Each structure stands twice: as C-alpha cells, then as structure tokens.
Amino acid sequence: MSDDDINLTVDGQPLTAKRGQMLIEVTDAAGIDIPRFCYHKKLSVAANCRMCLVEVEKAPKPLPACATPVMPDMVVKTRSKLALEAQQGTMEFLLINHPLDCPICDQGGECELQDVAMGYGGSASQYTEGKRVVMDKYIGPLIATEMTRCIHCTRCVRFGEEIAGVRELGATGRGENVRIGTYIEKSVASEVSGNVIDICPVGALTARPSRYSARSWELQQAPAVAPHDSLGSNIFVHLDNGKVNRVVPRENEAINEVWISDRDRFSYQGLHSADRLTTPRIRQNGELVDCDWDTALQAAVDALRSGAGKGSLGVLASAHSTLEELYMAQKLARALGTDDIDHRLAQTDFSADASSPAMPWLGMSINDLESLDAALVVGSNIRKELPIAALRLRKSALNGGRISFVNPLDFPMHFDASVALSPRYDRLADELCRIAVAAEADLGKLRGLPSLEPDDRHRQIAAELRDAERASLMLGSLAVNHPAFATLAALAEAIATKVNATLSYLPSLGNSAGAWLAGVVPHRRAGGSALGSAGRHAGDMLNQSLNTYLLHGVELEFDAANAAGAMQAVAGAEQVICVSAFDSESIRQYATVVLPAAAFTESYGTYVNATGHWQSNRGLVEPPGQARPAWKIYRVLADLLELQDIAYTSPEQITREVQSQCANIELNNLTSGSAQTDYQSIDYGDALLRVGEIPIHRVDPLVRRSVPLQKSNDGKQAFASMRHSELQRHNINDGDQIVVVQNGSRVTLPVKLDDAVPENCVWIPGGLTETAALGPLCAAVEIQRS
Amino acid sequence: MTESVLNQHSLDEINEWLGRYPPEQKQSAVLAALRVAQHQNDGYLTTELMDACAEVLDMPKIAVYEVASFYSMYETKPCGRHNIAICTNISCMLMGSDTIVNHVEKKYGIKLGESTADGKIFLKVEEECLAACAGGPMMQVDHVYHTDLTPEKVDEILDALD
Ligand code: SF4
Ligand code: FES
Ligand code: FES
C-alpha cells in the first residue's frame, strides 16, 4: 500500500482508494450504487443536483458523494435512514417541475430520472402548485429538445465546454426561470454534438432522427465498429425488428472513450435511402435494366475477361469498404493479371509510391494523442476528418501541448493553436520547407530545393517540436492528396527525424489502412510486399479511358481527385462493372453491369484503424432485396472465372488469410534508402486559386445519404468562401451568387465571407453535387458575377 | 472584419474597462461591457449587442447571454428608456412601498414590468433590496437612488425626466 492509498468503509464494506478521489468514483468501482444526475465520470464535478447525498460519520449533514473527497478511515453509509431521506427529498424536489410525461417520452425505459425515481423516490408528491413550462427552440436536425423535462444537471453544458470545446448550450435566466438551451434559435455546430443525447439523464435531449420510432426496451443491441473514419469508434447498433433504428457509443477507453462523432451516430440513416440497389442490372440498348444474378454475373465475367485480355482492366475500390471486400477485389484483379488497382482516388501525386510505407499509420496509439507536448498538423482539418482523434489532441493542447498547423485554410479549432500557418494551398510545401530549414533538418534527399527563409513563426514551431519530449508531425488528407505530396512527405520525414518526432499519417476514410494491407495499391501485394513493377495508379487509370473498369463502392463524381475528368474517362470505357450498395446518377450514366452489394451492418467485415487495430463487424440485418455481401459476389465471380485459391466458404477465412499475409508487416512511416525526391514547386502565381476539402459528411456513400447529417450545420457546404479583401477586390458581397469557371466548367454558387481563407483563394469543397462538375480541388479559377 | 454594432464611444469605454484586467481575463469586463452596450441602446440589450460584446471580450456568445439574462440590471427585451425600479423588499415594504408602486402604476397606466407607449418609462418588475433600507421606501431611477419617497416626491422626480 502506497502513501497515496487510504482505507475507508462504505456500507460496512472495507475499501481502499487513492487520496484525492471522490467518494462516488470509489463506490462506482466497488459496485455500490449511489444515485446521481449531474455527476459524469468524463466531466468536471458540478455537484448541483444533490441526488448523491450519503451519510458520512462525523459529518453534521449528508454529503454529496460526487464532491466529497475520500478521507482516511471515513465511514460512509449510502442506505442509512439519513441518506435515504436526503435522497428522497432531493428526488421530490427534482420532480416538482418535471412533467412526468414518460409515456410519450423517447427516453422512457432508459431514463436515469425514471430509474432513480423508481429506486429512491417516494410514490407521491406533496407539490400541488403549477409546474414550469419551457418553450423549445429548434437546435438542428440531430437533437430534439423537450426542455420542460430538463433537470438542470448541466451535463450538456459542461460537455460543450470541456469535451467538445464549443460552448453552444448554456444556462440562461435565474432561479425559477433558469433554462438550458442556446438562448437564440440556432443549429448546434459541433461535430460531436450528439453525445449530449447520451449524457442527458432525462428526455430533454433525444435523437431527432429516431424519435418516436421505437421503445428502447424493444430494441436489440449489437456491438459494431463505425466505418466512417480511421479511428474505428466502437458503437452499439440498436435494431428494431431487423432494421437499424439508431446508433449509440460503446465505451472503449483505447479508442473513443465514451464518445462518438455525429457522423458515426447518424450515418445509418443512409441505409434506408431510396438509392439502395436491390437488383442486379445490366445495360441493354443504352438503358440500365433489372436482371437476375446469373445474367449480371455472366456479363461481369465477360467484361472482366475481355478487359483483362486487352491488358486494360482497372480496379478502383473505395477505402470505406471492408478488408475482406478489398482483399477479394484485389485477389480477383491480380488473378486476372492486372496490378492496375488502387483505393487512393483522391490522391494526385503518386511519385512517392516506390518509397511509401506498407501502411501509412498514426505511428502511436490513440491514447498517445492526448499527451503530446508538441505537434505539427500538416494538411488536415482534423476536427472534421477525425472528430474523436481531435478531441484527444485537444486534451494535449489543454495540458499545455503546443499544437501548430500548416493548412490551406485556418480551420476553426476547438483549442488554441500554438502557431497556425495558412498559406495558399499551392505553397504548402514552401511553408513546411521553411520549418524544415528552421529545424536545421537534413534536406539532402530533396533535389532542387528552393532557398527559403524561415521567420519567427517557423522557428517557433521548429523549436517547440525540438524541445518536446513527445512530439508528432502529422500528415492529413490535404497533404496526402496535394499535388506535391512527395515533397511534403520528404520534408515531413526530414523534420520528424531531426526533431525526434513521430511521423504520423491521419488516414481519412474508414478503412484506408485496411486497403493498404489488402494490397489495393498498384505497387504492393496484400501484406505490403513490393511488386517488381507497379501497375497503374488511380490517377493514371482515370486520366485516360481503360477498356474495362471494376468500381467497388466508388462514386467518382465525389471520390475522384478530378471528378470531372474521371467521369469522362469512365464514360469512354467499354465496360464498367459497379459493385455498390447505392444507385446514383453517375452509375446510371456509366455502368454496364451493376451488382448490388450489402452495406454497413449488412455483412461481416473487418476495419483496420489508423493504429493498425483490426476490428470486425457481424452482419446484423439482411441486405435489401437481392443485394448480397460483396465478398460473396467476388467469390462467385472467381468461380465463374475459374480462378484458383479463391473458394472461401466464410468471410472469416478471408480475414485469416489476410492476417497471415500481414503477420510480418512492420509498421513504419519512415522511408528507407536514399532515394532522391524532386522538390516540386507548385505555384499558380497570381491566378485566383480554388481550394477545397471533402467535407465531413461527404466522405463516403453512406454518409452522403444520411438526410439529417446533410441538413445539419456541417452538411451545408456548397459555398464559394473568400476573405473580406477578396470580396472587395472582386466587388461582390456575402450571399451573392457567383459563377465559378474552372477549366471550362461553370458552376453557380453562393458567396460566403470567411476570413480564414487565404488571399487570392476561393474555398470550394469537393464531394458535393453542386461542385462535382468543377474538377480538381487545387486549380486556377475565374469568378464572375452571375 | 465587419463593423461592430457597438459605437466608437462604447468600444472606447469597454476598452478602458479591459485595461483594468489581465489580457487573458477579458471576460472580467463582461458586466461593464453589457452595461455600456445597454446604455448605448436606450436601456436594453439586443442579441446583436450581446454578440458584439462576446466578440470584444473573446467569450462564447452563450456565456454572454447567460450573464445578461442572470442579472436583473440588464434588460433583454425592448423597454422604455427610463428605468424605474421601486424596491419592494421587506424594509421598503414596511415603509409603504406598495403605495409608491400603486401611485406610479396609476400615474402611467401601466403595471410593473411594462413600458409606456411613448417609450419613455419602464417600470422594472419586483425590484429586490437595493441596500438603501434606512431610507425606505426607495427607488432607483436610471442610475440614481431616491430615498424617503412620498407620492409627491415621486411625481417631482419623474416629471423632471425628459
Ligand atoms: S438538457 Fe439534459 S443534460 Fe442538459 S442540463 Fe438538462 S437534464 Fe442536464
Ligand atoms: S451527482 Fe452529486 S450532486 Fe449531482
Ligand atoms: S429593502 Fe428596499 S433597499 Fe433594502
């Protein structure tokens, strides 16, 4: 027993605890129930509800267990007459203003107030006066409010301030008139806002999309892993008669703690979209028509054979797919003799492929993200790309970690950056180069280095990284998809090596890591071993038309780096086989065979997260109509093609096979060898530069179809944003409609004032229906008043 | 930067207050800033004014709304430009504040909590002890305390308002 340990007795039971712990933490750990509302283990102690009152010997009155530190030899009674009376009294007070509308409340059956009232309350109230009523304000499409039910525990307010880092809810008014809310009518904007639904102990905040659709006790709960970002947050899927009714977090301290992003919580709404493909289809006389599986499979087989025969078969598979699907697509491609396979649809510079890591990864555990002394994030809107990882990084910052950014836009963060550099996107590498110079990094591997002088900001970043015990240099998707990615990677590596920081990648899609492991790249086999000669990468495959494409889970108009160009390339193909869960306008345009696949929750599948952690989902619900798990589709295709070694009888067999191939993989983001990289100076000079990201709710086909997410604040992205000086220069105003001309394509968009956008830039996101016609996310554009 | 709805005079005054606190504690000036903003707007705060204060003080907007809605010296709905608060707490009540309230209500034909139609007078609802008990009944008119009230004295004070 260390000095820090103390002994106490609770309800006659001897317990040990650490000095400084609150009583409720100790009793929780020991499995002794103390009722509570305001206390939450992840939030600060507010001690405002008084529900946790217990009797402590020698104390003159009952004490709140959540705010009473343990003391040596303390004797606590949680069920004594004094304690029970105190709890009952509190309960009666809390119910004075509560509407007791449990029969029409969504929280009924999983309500802390209901449970505690049953366990600790009286059966009747002495209160006969009128109750307080609170008028509700609309706070967005994700959270429904019924604030008359609120018991003012302030958990939701503390969540905003302490965890999400955006104060949107507050307690306004005083005394009898206190109410929790946004005060003004406004959609909450946090990307993790849905967590207040879980922590609200009553039915004041409930999930709007699933409201009134089922009773909690009728739902079945199944563990799963969320597929939308490379964290793989743990979730429970709640099923109502074989239909996904809602998604809630599943605690995992190593990954998502007790939180999930709104994207992971509400994406399931896309499962029930009218776009779901339910029958195979083939093109006849120019029209896509429904057909049976045999016909479609035979058409696919013919197409694959003829494409492969001509040496012109390209396979593009989206990294939101499961490991098994990706591996099967890859195995099929390679068995047909092609290495033209890739998942990196948004990437534009592939020149680092030869020296790329076998699986770009985080380089550390997710827990490590919260104890960094310094970090430099390059090219990532991490808060929207990896919302839960960003919460961890925020903890580092709050603990004094110096977190800096080099981003094409000064993305609003939920903590104070140490230095936030926002050069124009084309000059990203120059900015990083200045930091490298300031850090005195060895840039010997870079040919044609420009001479760039660092200023104080670059020197500060370099010094902070150097002086930190735990430091990381992170490359996000805006770096990986940058036209000078190889240069950025080489610079990042040079800096990281010099300052002794971990080089981290922040893969954006749900299974990016899995796609690398499954060999869905043109230069590596499954398991990461390099090929003698590489196949065509995504860029090449979409630059000019191939004879045949196999597209797995891909929506080119949103996923491809150059959406407009990719659509053209595929339109010129002879055969396009689409394995997809969703129909789309573009599939109707270019597909010659459509094979309907199972979506998330509908089939077994594994996701590998950014730390290389493998997690598998079971199939929980039946795929709609004739849709089938994609691994099975590939299995049957392989059979029909008479390919060897591909006759799996269960998907777990596939998992095991990939596992054995990955047994010796060494995760290392640093490149070996002394290969030289040309310093690519991308420079659009005086031209107005269009820059954009793929927004949070547009990353994969499932989220794209979640109507509530699209209607939420983060879903509204179709704007041309410019800083004030830029608006003046072009003589336009916030809210005007303008025509953007990029490479001959014209798109009309509303203007938005945003001073986070650099000079001479217009921020126009990709991945949107409204902007798909424009093409690359980094290009010179003209704007005209419409 | 878009222009602030706070006028230059208000901004100067708020900055003067800010000078009294450490730079990382700007929110310490929130009470003063709200008072200044309210004064600029003839006696009540609008959401725009509160947002402007939040901007100047580097505070979340909701935190400013919380403060403004908590303290009774801020009005968050349109009201008459002269703020009349008659104390009705125990000492003043014992000294006859009811008579004063009745008198004023009748004089203007409005109830506590209401404003006159010409936007001149606002009768604050149920003011609590203003710590001038020795001079009860008392009232505060705008920033000024008036003690030992009688209906006549009240008339004199109120009629002098512009
Ligand atoms: S809304 Fe819910 S979480 Fe927020 S204060 Fe009220 S009861 Fe607590
Ligand atoms: S849980 Fe202890 S006071 Fe609320
Ligand atoms: S009771 Fe009126 S001032 Fe104190």
Side-chain angles (χ1 to χ4, degrees):
Chain A
M1 214 169 120
S2 80
D3 283 355
D4 260 1
D5 291 334
I6 52 179
N7 290 318
L8 68 161
T9 313
V10 180
D11 295 345
Q13 197 178 325
L15 297 175
T16 52
K18 292 255 173 288
R19 209 174 278 278
Q21 273 189 305
M22 293 299 158
L23 190 50
I24 205 165
E25 294 174 66
V26 179
T27 50
D28 275 357
I32 299 168
D33 273 337
I34 294 178
R36 86 285 310 271
F37 294 113
C38 68
Y39 173 78
H40 189 284
K41 64 179 177 181
K42 294 284 180 187
L43 303 174
S44 64
V45 171
N48 59 21
C49 75
R50 313 316 276 186
M51 193 60 227
C52 63
L53 292 173
V54 293
E55 179 178 352
V56 177
E57 254 178 35
K58 299 203 190 84
K61 56 187 175 111
L63 298 180
C66 71
T68 303
V70 286
M71 292 293 180
D73 305 319
M74 198 179 206
V75 179
V76 180
K77 293 174 193 148
T78 73
R79 307 289 293 157
S80 65
K81 183 160 178 285
L82 185 72
L84 287 181
E85 273 173 9
Q87 292 161 4
Q88 241 168 40
T90 304
M91 196 66 234
E92 191 173 353
F93 268 119
L94 281 170
L95 291 181
I96 278 183
N97 273 315
H98 190 79
L100 301 175
D101 56 346
C102 311
I104 55 150
C105 176
D106 242 33
Q107 192 89 352
E110 54 179 5
C111 175
E112 291 175 52
L113 188 67
Q114 209 175 31
D115 294 349
V116 173
M118 292 295 288
Y120 302 86
S123 54
S125 172
Q126 305 162 57
Y127 183 82
T128 51
E129 292 81 350
K131 290 183 183 239
R132 177 204 58 189
V133 172
V134 179
M135 298 306 280
D136 282 297
K137 295 206 166 69
Y138 181 77
I139 63 165
L142 306 179
I143 303 167
T145 57
E146 198 66 61
M147 298 318 281
T148 303
R149 296 178 186 145
C150 171
I151 57 165
H152 301 168
C153 72
T154 69
R155 277 185 186 176
C156 56
V157 178
R158 281 174 284 147
F159 173 82
E161 179 162 350
E162 296 162 17
I163 307 293
V166 271
R167 276 271 263 126
E168 298 186 281
L169 295 171
T172 55
R174 156 167 79 167
E176 161 81 357
N177 297 316
V178 168
R179 52 209 50 191
I180 300 288
T182 47
Y183 185 73
I184 51 165
E185 184 109 358
K186 97 187 240 296
S187 258
V188 293
S190 166
E191 61 290 338
V192 292
S193 68
N195 291 296
V196 298
I197 296 166
D198 306 322
I199 58 173
C200 179
V202 303
L205 305 172
T206 54
R208 191 180 282 276
S210 56
R211 189 158 69 138
Y212 300 147
S213 62
R215 282 319 219 159
S216 59
W217 57 87
E218 293 168 346
L219 298 173
Q220 283 169 314
Q221 166 163 294
V225 176
H228 304 293
D229 66 37
S230 61
L231 233 55
S233 289
N234 288 195
I235 54 174
F236 279 118
V237 175
H238 285 176
L239 303 162
D240 175 28
N241 274 324
K243 191 173 162 214
V244 179
N245 180 269
R246 63 177 181 181
V247 165
V248 296
R250 177 162 57 99
E251 184 168 356
N252 185 338
E253 279 303 307
I255 298 180
N256 51 305
E257 303 177 79
V258 297
W259 318 118
I260 56 173
S261 64
D262 289 355
R263 182 166 62 191
D264 288 344
R265 184 185 300 267
F266 296 112
S267 68
Y268 75 91
Q269 285 273 321
L271 289 172
H272 315 130
S273 141
D275 275 354
R276 285 306 302 273
L277 285 165
T278 53
T279 47
R281 317 186 83 188
I282 52 168
R283 194 168 293 278
Q284 268 172 5
N285 308 323
E287 287 281 316
L288 268 188
V289 292
D290 290 355
C291 64
D292 56 32
W293 267 106
D294 287 344
T295 316
L297 287 166
Q298 196 51 50
V301 163
D302 294 343
L304 289 168
R305 269 214 185 99
S306 84
K310 295 195 174 76
S312 190
L313 164 65
V315 180
L316 293 164
S318 167
H320 70 264
S321 320
T322 67
L323 181 75
E324 292 73 16
E325 292 166 358
L326 291 161
Y327 179 75
M328 288 296 277
Q330 178 269 161
K331 194 157 179 182
L332 194 82
R334 295 222 150 96
L336 286 166
T338 181
D339 288 315
D340 300 349
I341 175 162
D342 214 339
H343 70 276
R344 300 165 299 169
L345 286 131
Q347 195 161 326
T348 50
D349 175 17
F350 299 87
S351 59
D353 273 6
S355 55
S356 70
M359 182 191 100
W361 74 299
L362 192 60
M364 56 183 150
S365 76
I366 294 167
N367 283 331
D368 289 341
L369 280 173
E370 58 181 61
S371 52
L372 291 169
D373 302 311
L376 174 60
V377 180
V378 181
S380 176
N381 185 1
I382 185 168
R383 183 171 162 200
K384 301 292 173 180
E385 282 176 33
L386 291 162
I388 300 297
L391 295 187
R392 301 284 196 136
L393 198 58
R394 180 171 182 267
K395 290 197 214 175
S396 284
L398 296 186
N399 286 330
R402 314 294 292 172
I403 318 293
S404 295
F405 296 87
V406 180
N407 267 333
L409 184 129
D410 191 3
F411 293 116
M413 287 301 297
H414 40 28
F415 55 82
D416 287 334
S418 176
V419 181
L421 300 175
S422 50
R424 212 169 73 153
Y425 192 39
D426 51 340
R427 315 317 308 250
L428 213 55
D430 291 353
E431 224 44 31
L432 197 56
C433 186
R434 288 192 172 92
I435 297 168
V437 172
E440 294 170 2
D442 175 7
L443 298 177
K445 280 191 191 173
L446 278 149
R447 253 192 314 253
L449 208 61
S451 94
L452 295 166
E453 277 297 313
D455 65 24
D456 285 347
R457 300 168 307 160
H458 308 104
R459 278 189 281 271
Q460 185 183 336
I461 295 175
E464 283 170 358
L465 289 172
R466 189 185 329 112
D467 298 343
E469 199 174 310
R470 282 153 305 189
S472 161
L473 203 158
M474 307 178 178
L475 289 175
S477 65
L478 286 162
V480 172
N481 297 332
H482 192 277
F485 166 55
T487 307
L488 289 168
L491 287 167
E493 175 164 342
I495 299 171
T497 311
K498 176 69 186 187
V499 300
N500 206 5
T502 307
L503 180 60
S504 307
Y505 280 91
L506 304 170
S508 51
L509 290 181
N511 212 6
S512 294
W516 280 92
L517 295 182
V520 183
V521 281
H523 58 294
R524 288 184 185 277
R525 286 185 206 91
S529 57
L531 287 162
S533 69
R536 273 182 275 231
H537 52 67
D540 275 352
M541 279 187 262
L542 293 171
N543 244 341
Q544 82 238 27
S545 303
L546 300 182
N547 175 276
T548 303
Y549 289 96
L550 170 61
L551 303 181
H552 178 101
V554 168
E555 297 188 313
L556 285 174
E557 69 277 37
F558 303 134
D559 295 328
N562 176 358
M567 289 292 289
Q568 235 173 26
V570 174
E574 205 102 324
Q575 309 280 351
V576 182
I577 307 159
C578 294
V579 180
S580 171
F582 297 98
D583 197 8
S584 71
E585 181 54 38
S586 60
I587 287 185
R588 283 194 293 278
Q589 270 172 38
Y590 55 61
T592 51
V593 186
V594 179
L595 306 176
F600 170 62
T601 67
E602 293 167 359
S603 80
Y604 168 91
T606 303
Y607 296 87
V608 184
N609 80 0
T611 66
H613 181 55
W614 295 43
Q615 305 182 95
S616 300
N617 277 342
R618 283 184 294 128
L620 302 174
V621 300
E622 286 296 316
Q626 300 181 49
R628 292 289 172 268
W631 73 268
K632 272 191 189 164
I633 300 178
Y634 289 120
R635 215 235 74 181
V636 180
L637 283 176
D639 265 355
L640 295 171
L641 287 159
E642 292 163 10
L643 302 176
Q644 303 295 309
D645 273 349
I646 199 162
Y648 307 97
T649 50
S650 79
E652 288 89 345
Q653 252 180 318
I654 310 174
T655 325
R656 280 194 294 275
E657 185 168 314
V658 194
Q659 232 150 19
S660 71
Q661 296 186 358
C662 293
N664 296 321
I665 203 164
E666 191 206 340
L667 293 185
N668 183 2
N669 286 336
L670 299 178
T671 58
S672 50
S674 55
Q676 294 268 308
T677 307
D678 285 325
Y679 189 96
Q680 300 174 69
S681 258
I682 311 282
D683 186 357
Y684 282 83
D686 291 337
L688 178 67
L689 192 72
R690 179 259 171 124
V691 185
E693 60 172 342
I694 305 294
I696 175 168
H697 296 325
R698 302 298 300 175
V699 294
D700 62 51
L702 184 57
V703 273
R704 284 174 200 140
R705 287 171 177 80
S706 166
V707 176
L709 286 179
Q710 298 309 320
K711 283 194 185 150
S712 73
N713 242 323
D714 275 337
K716 298 189 194 106
Q717 298 272 356
F719 297 102
S721 306
M722 280 172 273
R723 64 187 302 122
H724 189 61
S725 56
E726 212 55 39
L727 294 186
Q728 278 184 324
R729 195 160 75 89
H730 291 95
N731 197 14
I732 44 181
N733 295 312
D734 191 14
D736 284 358
Q737 295 281 328
I738 54 163
V739 177
V740 182
V741 189
Q742 177 175 335
N743 208 354
S745 309
R746 307 165 68 85
V747 156
T748 307
L749 289 170
V751 173
K752 190 160 145 188
L753 167 67
D754 185 352
D755 282 324
V757 183
E759 298 268 331
N760 211 3
C761 262
V762 49
W763 181 262
I764 304 176
L768 305 170
T769 321
E770 296 88 336
T771 63
L774 285 180
L777 294 176
C778 176
V781 290
E782 274 170 43
I783 58 175
Q784 301 160 358
R785 306 176 55 157
S786 85
Chain B
M1 281 277 303
T2 40
E3 232 169 89
S4 180
V5 291
L6 288 165
N7 62 30
Q8 198 52 49
H9 176 77
S10 301
L11 285 170
D12 289 346
E13 211 170 316
I14 294 172
N15 276 324
E16 199 273 314
W17 277 98
L18 279 173
R20 306 183 192 195
Y21 305 107
E24 69 282 0
Q25 294 288 331
K26 285 193 189 163
Q27 60 175 16
S28 305
V30 65
L31 292 178
L34 286 172
R35 203 166 55 230
V36 170
Q38 173 159 293
H39 187 71
Q40 170 190 323
N41 197 42
D42 280 338
Y44 69 95
L45 290 163
T46 60
T47 307
E48 291 71 28
L49 280 166
M50 291 189 272
D51 290 352
C53 291
E55 172 114 349
V56 178
L57 304 173
D58 225 349
M59 288 171 71
K61 291 175 185 168
I62 182 73
V64 175
Y65 306 153
E66 285 176 336
V67 173
S69 60
F70 182 88
Y71 289 101
S72 64
M73 66 224 194
Y74 302 114
E75 297 305 324
T76 51
K77 298 210 177 68
C79 62
R81 64 182 184 279
H82 292 295
N83 187 315
I84 296 162
I86 306 165
C87 173
T88 52
N89 212 308
I90 184 76
S91 307
C92 291
M93 190 178 79
L94 292 173
M95 297 301 289
S97 62
D98 285 0
T99 323
I100 304 297
V101 171
N102 280 338
H103 177 72
V104 175
E105 285 187 341
K106 221 179 270 141
K107 180 177 173 75
Y108 292 113
I110 53 173
K111 296 263 164 234
L112 287 189
E114 295 174 355
S115 297
T116 52
D118 61 359
K120 181 175 169 190
I121 300 292
F122 169 54
L123 288 187
K124 200 166 181 117
V125 81
E126 215 183 336
E127 185 63 88
E128 301 304 341
C129 177
L130 288 168
C133 316
M138 65 81 68
M139 68 176 177
Q140 188 186 19
V141 177
D142 297 329
H143 304 294
V144 187
Y145 274 29
H146 301 274
T147 52
D148 305 303
L149 299 176
T150 59
E152 297 69 38
K153 192 169 175 190
V154 167
D155 282 345
E156 206 177 299
I157 296 163
L158 296 183
D159 291 345
L161 296 172
D162 56 10

